[in-house]
Amino acid sequence: MNSDDLTFWKKVNLRQRLLRDIADPVILETHGGRGKLYSACYSYVERGMVIEKNLEKAERLARQRPTWRVYQADSVSVLRLGLGRTMPFNVLDVDAYGSPWETIDAFFASERVRVPKLWLVATDGLRKVTTVHAAWITNSLKPIVKRRGNNLHDQYLSACFDMLTEKAAQGGYVVSTFDGYYCGFSNQMTHFYAVLTSSK
Ligand SMILES: C[S@@+](CC[C@H](N)C(=O)[O-])C[C@H]1O[C@@H](n2cnc3c(N)ncnc32)[C@H](O)[C@@H]1O
């Protein structure tokens, strides 16, 4: 199995494990791609919303999941504007190629229905920039670099926990469970998940 396939199956495994604890999932997938995670994990879920910026992929996603809301859009912009704000999402899946942080921020900074318990699962490619000491010039990492310094490589997961805690607080959530691991080429990818509970 090549490194990409292995990473994909790790993503699937992580999501399937989380789904076991969620009785009635309502999914928000912010980076729909070719719908591979949906096929492997979410095809039984009736209610959801998926966003994908590439038109051809978005059309395919619409054919794939007739009961979901499907948008061809930049997820950061539309979530910030409150897209899907009345839907009681209890799973937020941010499978980004690079940074998930702008998307996570847009979700929590926007006015939307708050559920008692929200599961978040994310793919973060930014550990790569920490290997070349470039965190300080990476927009989404600048605030954490101010607090922890530029050498985030060995503490990247713990930095993710801090960043998530801060962003989730904007939406009225506290992080009650957090875990993750490094994977992919040179361990440059980070997969993490969290359980968030409403603080209000
Ligand atoms: C890692 S892939 C997602 C794979 C997907 N989870 C699947 O199961 O096939 C990332 C996808 O995000 C899309 N994308 C990148 N930036 C985006 C954005 N700002 N808003 C929406 N989609 C975006 C890309 O076009 C690409 O298809």
Side-chain angles (χ1 to χ4, degrees):
M1 202 182 282
N2 68 37
S3 153
D4 281 354
D5 286 345
L6 193 61
T7 303
F8 174 71
W9 286 109
K10 279 177 180 288
K11 287 182 190 176
V12 169
N13 205 3
L14 179 58
R15 285 157 178 79
Q16 287 179 340
R17 241 181 335 114
L18 298 184
L19 286 166
R20 275 185 223 132
D21 290 336
I22 310 171
D24 189 12
V26 183
I27 315 267
L28 170 55
E29 253 196 293
T30 61
H31 294 67
R34 298 183 190 283
K36 287 169 63 186
L37 286 177
Y38 173 89
S39 297
C41 306
Y42 300 138
S43 59
Y44 73 97
V45 178
E46 286 280 311
R47 288 180 80 192
M49 181 170 102
V50 60
I51 308 166
E52 166 56 51
K53 73 175 182 189
N54 176 283
L55 176 60
E56 204 183 305
K57 289 180 185 172
E59 285 177 348
R60 191 183 312 176
L61 297 174
R63 285 193 293 276
Q64 182 189 47
R65 40 190 111 179
T67 65
W68 285 39
R69 288 167 66 170
V70 181
Y71 294 91
Q72 185 250 321
D74 166 26
S75 42
V76 179
S77 317
V78 294
L79 289 176
R80 201 166 284 288
L81 289 169
L83 183 72
R85 64 178 161 282
T86 58
M87 285 187 76
F89 299 116
N90 54 12
V91 178
L92 172 59
D93 183 329
V94 187
D95 185 24
Y97 278 138
S99 168
W101 295 106
E102 293 78 0
T103 311
I104 291 172
D105 192 66
F107 180 85
F108 289 114
S110 52
E111 205 49 49
R112 55 184 63 251
V113 167
R114 192 175 330 106
V115 294
K117 202 167 177 182
L118 170 67
W119 281 259
L120 180 148
V121 59
T123 307
D124 182 337
L126 291 185
R127 191 163 186 248
K128 183 177 179 176
V129 304
T130 69
T131 60
V132 291
H133 309 290
W136 67 285
I137 47 167
T138 304
N139 279 338
S140 49
L141 299 180
K142 282 179 182 171
I144 196 82
V145 166
K146 276 202 181 129
R147 297 206 295 273
R148 289 180 172 237
N150 192 40
N151 193 4
L152 294 177
H153 189 73
D154 292 339
Q155 44 169 326
Y156 194 69
L157 258 177
S158 142
C160 289
F161 172 78
D162 280 7
M163 292 190 279
L164 181 61
T165 299
E166 193 178 315
K167 293 188 189 302
Q170 297 178 87
Y173 290 97
V174 292
V175 180
S176 48
T177 304
F178 179 91
D179 204 359
Y181 52 84
Y182 305 127
C183 59
F185 176 73
S186 288
N187 273 341
Q188 289 178 347
M189 300 298 298
T190 307
H191 293 171
F192 65 83
Y193 78 91
V195 183
L196 312 177
T197 44
S198 175
S199 61
K200 292 176 185 160

